[in-house]
Amino acid sequence: LRLLATMTSGLKQRRRLLEEAVSALRRSGDRLELARALTDLGPVHRALGSSDRARSTVRQAHHVAVECRAESLLKRIRPNLCGASSAATMQVATEPDGISLLSEAELRVAALAARGRTNREIAKQLFITPSTVEQHLTRVYRKLRVRHRWDLPEELSLEMLEQA
């Protein structure tokens, strides 16, 4: 699906194929191919005028590529990652005091969200309900003074990887 999408000229059809590929790859567990599909999908969202979805998709691609240690893919992603969130937001979010305010449960949920996991995926992995995930994320956003999942500091996902 991903390769077929790259050969498709229409942006809407390309987006549909890539979203289908991403969905299938999430179910299959092939993280490297998922990172590739997300990397291809981000610019398509941007070209279609969905800058928020583009930022979120590129950020997810980055986190999955970091997990896979896919250096060549990271080189492709990093230039698109620069605009992922404002410098002011990142400065507030990355202050150590902000992260230290998080409970253990909030930290686990935030780390998985920062790595690009959906609320359902987080709930399944942590054996909690999607509603509990939403409640934790609401408190995380408030404590870190961020508005969106893609504004979560990258340190959260790196900390989670180190603990694993």
Side-chain angles (χ1 to χ4, degrees):
L1 286 170
R2 184 181 71 80
L3 294 175
L4 180 61
T6 59
M7 296 184 288
T8 304
S9 60
L11 284 174
K12 289 184 180 181
Q13 184 178 4
R14 189 178 309 157
R15 179 187 63 198
R16 185 185 59 76
L17 288 169
L18 287 169
E19 286 176 343
E20 193 176 332
V22 165
S23 179
L25 290 163
R26 284 189 196 281
R27 288 190 306 273
S28 78
D30 187 341
R31 304 296 286 165
L32 180 58
E33 194 60 32
L34 174 62
R36 289 181 181 131
L38 288 166
T39 300
D40 292 344
L41 183 57
V44 172
H45 281 309
R46 186 171 290 115
L48 289 170
S50 300
S51 58
D52 287 348
R53 287 191 77 183
R55 279 192 300 271
S56 176
T57 302
V58 168
R59 189 134 176 195
Q60 288 176 42
H62 179 262
H63 290 297
V64 175
V66 166
E67 273 180 20
C68 297
R69 295 184 174 103
E71 288 303 318
S72 61
L73 193 53
L74 286 167
K75 288 177 186 172
R76 262 184 67 202
I77 296 169
R78 284 191 179 116
N80 295 320
L81 195 60
C82 295
S85 48
S86 71
T89 301
M90 288 306 290
Q91 182 182 0
V92 169
T94 57
E95 290 175 358
D97 294 340
I99 293 175
S100 68
L101 293 174
L102 301 179
S103 70
E104 261 188 65
E106 291 166 346
L107 186 59
R108 281 192 301 270
V109 169
L112 290 169
R115 291 172 70 193
R117 300 293 198 279
T118 66
N119 287 2
R120 283 186 187 181
E121 290 170 336
I122 295 168
K124 187 175 179 180
Q125 185 172 342
L126 298 178
F127 303 103
I128 58 178
T129 66
S131 174
T132 302
V133 172
E134 290 171 15
Q135 292 170 31
H136 283 314
L137 285 175
T138 298
R139 286 191 295 275
V140 167
Y141 295 163
R142 196 174 304 132
K143 288 178 180 181
L144 297 181
R145 293 183 270 167
V146 299
R147 294 183 136 191
H148 305 283
R149 178 181 302 252
W150 57 82
D151 290 331
L152 290 170
E154 192 171 319
E155 289 77 21
L156 286 171
S157 64
L158 295 176
E159 185 172 321
M160 180 79 166
L161 281 173
E162 290 170 3
Q163 291 176 1

